[in-house]
Amino acid sequence: MIPYGRQDIDDADITAVVEVLKSDFITQGPAVPRFEAALSDWCGVPHAVAMNSATSALHVAYLALGLGPGDEFWTAPVTFVATANAALYCGAEVRFVDIDPVTYTLDLDRLEAMLVVAEAEGRLPKIVAPVHLAGQSCDMARLAELARRYGFRVVEDASHSIGAFFGNAPVGDCRFSDICVFSFHPVKIITTAEGGAATTRDPELAQKIELLRSHGVTRDPALMRNEPHGGWYYEQVALGYNYRMTDLQAALGASQMARLAGFIEARHARRAVYDEQLRGLPLQLPHQAEGQRSALHLYPVLVTQDAPLDRRALFDALRAAGIGVNMHYLPVYRQPWYVEHGFPQDECPVAEDYYARALSIPLYATLSEADQAQVIATLHRLLC
Ligand SMILES: *Cc1c(COP(=O)(O)O)cnc(C)c1O
């Protein structure tokens, strides 16, 4: 089966991990700061905090911004469940804002209309979390403008998006957001096995995130409530979660960061082949947003009405032909847990249409020419 995505681990990556295993520190050593410095450098942002997953990073990002019971948290429904789940961990009220039918990211017209109503009702969101679906952002400059006008904070779920650019600047520079979160799960652009990170320009937010990622414990006298009792002394000043990344993972991450530009290049080369060779089929191909360079985590195609097969039949036929297609995502509010907790089912018609017609075809840095040709030939055979 040709998978829809997979990691690329080379000998340098393996050597980097083995070196940590032979060293004095397999956690809380020098590899985590080294990985964080590589992330900061790439993103052009002063603070990057590595964690054991993007889910953890989202959770502490929301907490650092003060999200709590009674607060509204808004995000897109076409995302992995973690974007919304992490806000529920904080006790927030989650609402879903429909996606745009062309970019599949937050529909900012819809968001603005909802903000007008929410302002009149006195329940504006505390945080809006755009999701950079497939590796491309919504119009972050416009979102930042809305954030200023309506007083909400912005956390980017950039789990699909390390290596992407918005304008001339890398995603993660937080020019238009408070915090940006990346995932390093093996299907994403770079990997640390499990892993994630939060970036921010704000030193106070960075400090809060660092405390929460650990046990809320500090050895810095400036952060303590009392005079240190002696050289052994530390204080717990926040309720942390131990969401730390190990040095084994961070060494892998730092090694992968050196390869990031190449991974993105390779994805773009394969995207160009799909764009060229799938044209003319009854498929809506991914939109290339002006002024952006996508990280191309996914290549979602939407089956059009005139296709001889519907999405489900096409999905099954592709799987039967050894093509490991996937679907990203069932709108989160339709997950049984959300249904059981009373989330409205009828507020996001575009997400519904996307769910009815989308599938993700294989795209990753090491997808071979022969395998990609097989994906293309199979699509032609099934859809012509
Ligand atoms: C993968 C993913 C996450 C969660 O990432 P983990 O590192 O597995 O916790 C969150 N949001 C989106 C959009 C993702 O794709």
Side-chain angles (χ1 to χ4, degrees), residues 53-55 58 79-80 82-83 131 157 159-160 183 185 188 195 329:
S53 73
T55 306
L58 289 164
T79 184
F80 185 59
T83 319
V131 178
D157 186 342
S159 292
H160 297 185
S183 172
H185 183 278
K188 308 288 165 72
Y329 299 91

